[in-house]
Amino acid sequence: GAGVSQSPSNKVTEKGKDVELRCDPISGHTALYWYRQSLGQGLEFLIYFQGNSAPDKSGLPSDRFSAERTGGSVSTLTIQRTQQEDSAVYLCASSGTSVGELFFGEGSRLTVL
Amino acid sequence: AQSVTQPDIHITVSEGASLELRCNYSYGATPYLFWYVQSPGQGLQLLLKYFSGDTLVQGIKGFEAEFKRSQSSFNLRKPSVHWSDAAEYFCAVGAAGGGTSYGKLTFGQGTILTVHP
């Protein structure tokens, strides 16, 4: 597709369940980023993949959060044993040859009941 | 640690008026600075960026920003606001670790812009 695609756009889950959020970056973009946007914390960096290098996980808030990127393309963010404070919009972005520009998807809104 | 402050949570202007959104940053070296805009229900879109060189940078949609090292500021300006500019604006600083680490952004809290006809 032409832009960054994220799914699902909305996810409602019960506390304690695991969720997976998917990001399909722009074709050819080597860098992929996950961010979280919440009312209380604003926009926060979570994790960053660059090519085949080990990901920068420095923004993950707890060990319940993990992410992988398969084949240098699609990425999945997994949240285990979800808590109510995990409710937020999770944004994915990718970056390619246009130095300094991140292209963001529309996000996955997660609601934990 | 780097940080970004946007002092104004909400700004209201009339259509056709000029606009300035404030941004102050804290960073140990020459920063990579960005302004992004987010319309309701949309992802973020890059308006402009500063990496080095000319301190006055031009962006899309008629926006510009000026990097002032002495004031640790990177304010966004537009001479004449259009109703379609109503959105939330985020200032961000990127890590200068090389490669694409500039995308590891620290965002300000955002400024909501309302435009009155």
Side-chain angles (χ1 to χ4, degrees):
Chain A
V4 176
S5 178
Q6 292 188 246
S7 61
S9 54
N10 279 286
K11 175 72 175 180
V12 180
T13 191
E14 294 179 347
K15 177 182 173 181
K17 295 287 181 69
D18 297 351
V19 297
E20 287 188 349
L21 307 176
R22 175 188 168 104
C23 173
D24 200 342
I26 293 172
S27 178
H29 280 192
T30 58
L32 187 148
Y33 311 81
W34 283 98
Y35 285 84
R36 178 169 71 174
Q37 186 172 26
S38 60
L39 283 177
Q41 302 298 320
L43 275 156
E44 304 171 278
F45 165 79
L46 296 177
I47 187 169
Y48 147 54
F49 297 87
Q50 170 55 56
N52 295 321
S53 303
D56 180 336
K57 305 178 183 180
S58 59
L60 294 179
S62 78
D63 58 8
R64 296 186 296 105
F65 288 72
S66 63
E68 63 177 19
R69 188 178 186 190
T70 53
S73 180
V74 172
S75 177
T76 302
L77 177 69
T78 301
I79 308 172
Q80 296 178 309
R81 305 181 302 281
T82 51
Q83 303 294 312
Q84 288 183 332
E85 61 262 30
D86 300 334
S87 295
V89 177
Y90 290 83
L91 294 168
C92 176
S94 66
S95 182
T97 56
S98 176
V99 176
E101 181 163 11
L102 268 62
F103 293 83
F104 282 84
E106 295 186 0
S108 293
R109 180 176 297 277
L110 174 65
T111 303
V112 182
L113 301 177
Chain B
Q2 57 203 50
S3 66
V4 178
T5 301
Q6 294 179 245
D8 304 305
I9 296 172
H10 195 172
I11 283 184
T12 300
V13 299
S14 297
E15 191 169 15
S18 64
L19 173 69
E20 182 169 29
L21 302 182
R22 296 184 290 163
C23 172
N24 293 97
Y25 67 89
S26 173
Y27 192 70
T30 300
Y32 294 165
L33 294 163
F34 306 84
W35 276 98
Y36 280 85
V37 61
Q38 186 176 36
S39 298
Q42 303 291 313
L44 285 85
Q45 181 183 23
L46 179 69
L47 285 177
L48 46 77
K49 63 191 178 189
Y50 172 79
F51 274 27
S52 65
D54 193 347
T55 56
L56 183 64
V57 294
Q58 302 296 320
I60 62 171
K61 305 184 181 187
F63 285 92
E64 67 177 27
E66 186 171 11
F67 170 59
K68 293 186 177 180
R69 184 188 302 275
S70 62
Q71 298 177 19
S72 297
S73 69
F74 188 56
N75 295 347
L76 182 71
R77 302 193 293 247
K78 186 169 184 178
S80 178
V81 170
H82 188 262
W83 64 266
S84 60
D85 293 324
E88 189 163 13
Y89 292 78
F90 293 92
C91 181
V93 60
T100 48
S101 63
Y102 57 75
K104 185 178 168 182
L105 300 171
T106 298
F107 285 91
Q109 289 298 308
T111 298
I112 298 171
L113 174 65
T114 298
V115 180
H116 281 166

